[in-house]
Amino acid sequence: MKELCEVTKVNPEVVDHVQERMADLSEVANLFKALADETRLNIAYALTIEEEMCVCDIAAVIGSSTATASHHLRYLRERALAKSERKGKQIYYSLSDDHVRQLVTIAHEHTKEGVENG
C-alpha cells in the first residue's frame, strides 16, 4: 500500500483554520534537539528515577567522566531542562520542572508500547 495521497484537492477552510492557529515551534524543536542526544536523554531519565543527583553520581550512572557529564548537564541547564544547586563543594542537578519529567517519562512509555505492540 502506497502512503501517498492521490487526491490533490485542498480544503482551504481546513488549511486556513490550522494555519491561523499554528504556533512558533522553534523552541519546542530546540527542546527535542537537546533530548535527542542519547547521553543527555540518559541523564534526564536518571533524574526521573532519582530527583536530585550530584555530577559524580550522574557520571557513574551514564558511564562517563565527570567532565563529560558536566558538559551535558550544563547543556541541559542552559536550555532550562535541568537546574543546579551547589551544596558544599558539590553541585547537584535535578530536572527543571515536572513538564520535563513528564516528557521523558511519556516518551519512554511510548517507545515501550511500540515495542510491545510492534
Side-chain angles (χ1 to χ4, degrees):
M1 175 164 114
K2 289 184 182 177
E3 291 190 21
L4 179 64
C5 184
E6 295 181 14
V7 179
T8 58
K9 184 176 180 183
V10 173
N11 185 333
E13 292 83 21
V14 171
V15 171
D16 289 345
H17 173 78
V18 172
Q19 283 182 333
E20 289 169 3
R21 287 160 182 79
M22 286 295 292
D24 177 7
L25 298 174
S26 58
E27 289 304 312
V28 176
N30 287 333
L31 178 148
F32 282 112
K33 181 180 176 184
L35 293 175
D37 178 87
E38 192 170 350
T39 300
R40 289 191 289 271
L41 186 57
N42 279 322
I43 290 169
Y45 188 74
L47 291 171
T48 68
I49 297 168
E50 187 66 35
E51 190 171 318
E52 183 180 74
M53 296 174 70
C54 71
V55 176
C56 296
D57 289 346
I58 291 170
V61 166
I62 64 170
S64 76
S65 67
T66 55
T68 297
S70 291
H71 166 76
H72 287 292
L73 286 160
R74 187 176 327 106
Y75 188 95
L76 292 170
R77 191 186 71 232
E78 289 170 351
R79 283 147 187 86
L81 297 171
K83 58 186 177 182
S84 62
E85 179 183 0
R86 179 175 289 281
K87 293 183 181 181
K89 293 185 177 189
Q90 292 186 311
I91 298 180
Y92 285 80
Y93 281 85
S94 59
L95 296 176
S96 62
D97 60 32
D98 201 46
H99 294 119
V100 179
R101 181 177 317 286
Q102 289 176 14
L103 280 169
V104 173
T105 302
I106 290 168
H108 179 251
E109 289 171 2
H110 176 74
T111 57
K112 281 187 354 188
E113 288 173 5
V115 170
E116 292 167 4
N117 296 329

